Amino acid sequence: MSLDFEQNLRMYADLAVKIGVNVQPGQRVMIRAPLDSAPLARLLVAGAYQAGARLVDVIWEDEQLELIRFQHAPRDSFEESSNWLPNALLEYAQRGDALITIAGEDPDLLKDQDANLIALARKASDIKIAPFMDVLMRSGLNWLVVSAPVASWAAK
């Protein structure tokens, strides 16, 4: 990375932490981050701790694992969704903590996959995450979505 890019990325992370979610001393922060956004995620973690965060959890997301599921999982398994992430998000929301999500996924990742299976998987996920979304929409926590530079989006 060039020095200018690193400096701009650091300023972007500082803006997200200090203004975007306004991390407060003693607050916990969850960061959801695609693997490709690790440099930005690390800066967000550092910035959150510098702002006084008590704990910063990073949930790494590997979109290729989602593609692998659509390629190889049993066709009758797409109505299932795990509880751990919705439960963790809800816990953060109910405590009034902060959430930063880094967006930067391949827009064409699932283009060759069965649209019905994608719909089933999304519906199952939406059902599990609904309690968190209710709290989020009632402003139960500070949250922010930031974008990360991703080659697939640039190519699009």
Side-chain angles (χ1 to χ4, degrees), residues 83-149:
N83 289 323
W84 72 269
L85 181 57
N87 289 344
L89 289 167
L90 183 58
E91 177 187 335
Y92 265 73
Q94 290 172 333
R95 287 176 44 94
D97 291 320
L99 169 66
I100 301 172
T101 300
I102 302 175
E105 296 81 21
D106 180 350
D108 294 324
L109 180 73
L110 302 177
K111 70 178 180 163
D112 297 326
Q113 302 308 309
D114 183 331
N116 292 324
L117 292 180
I118 294 170
L120 282 174
R122 296 287 188 256
K123 182 178 178 184
S125 176
D126 289 349
I127 289 169
K128 294 278 176 98
I129 207 157
F132 162 72
M133 293 303 294
D134 288 344
V135 175
L136 180 72
M137 291 301 121
R138 289 191 317 255
S139 299
L141 79 160
N142 299 353
W143 62 278
L144 176 69
V145 177
V146 297
S147 293

Side-chain angles (χ1 to χ4, degrees), residues 6-131:
E6 282 184 45
Q7 194 171 24
N8 286 336
L9 197 61
R10 184 170 283 107
M11 289 188 312
Y12 184 49
D14 286 345
L15 179 67
V17 168
K18 293 176 183 172
I19 305 297
V21 291
N22 189 24
V23 173
Q24 296 297 303
Q27 192 173 37
R28 296 184 331 170
V29 179
M30 178 187 286
I31 299 171
R32 296 179 62 191
L35 293 176
D36 291 343
S37 69
L40 176 56
R42 290 179 189 119
L43 290 171
L44 290 168
V45 170
Y49 280 124
Q50 290 166 358
R54 178 178 186 81
L55 175 67
V56 180
D57 284 316
V58 178
I59 307 298
W60 294 106
E61 298 175 352
D62 182 352
E63 66 185 357
Q64 290 302 310
L65 298 178
E66 183 179 18
L67 178 60
I68 291 168
R69 178 182 186 200
F70 281 94
Q71 291 170 334
H72 301 291
R75 304 293 93 179
D76 65 349
S77 71
F78 287 87
E79 292 183 63
E80 296 179 28
S81 180
S82 296
N83 289 323
W84 72 269
L85 181 57
N87 289 344
L89 289 167
L90 183 58
E91 177 187 335
Y92 265 73
Q94 290 172 333
R95 287 176 44 94
D97 291 320
L99 169 66
I100 301 172
T101 300
I102 302 175
E105 296 81 21
D106 180 350
D108 294 324
L109 180 73
L110 302 177
K111 70 178 180 163
D112 297 326
Q113 302 308 309
D114 183 331
N116 292 324
L117 292 180
I118 294 170
L120 282 174
R122 296 287 188 256
K123 182 178 178 184
S125 176
D126 289 349
I127 289 169
K128 294 278 176 98
I129 207 157

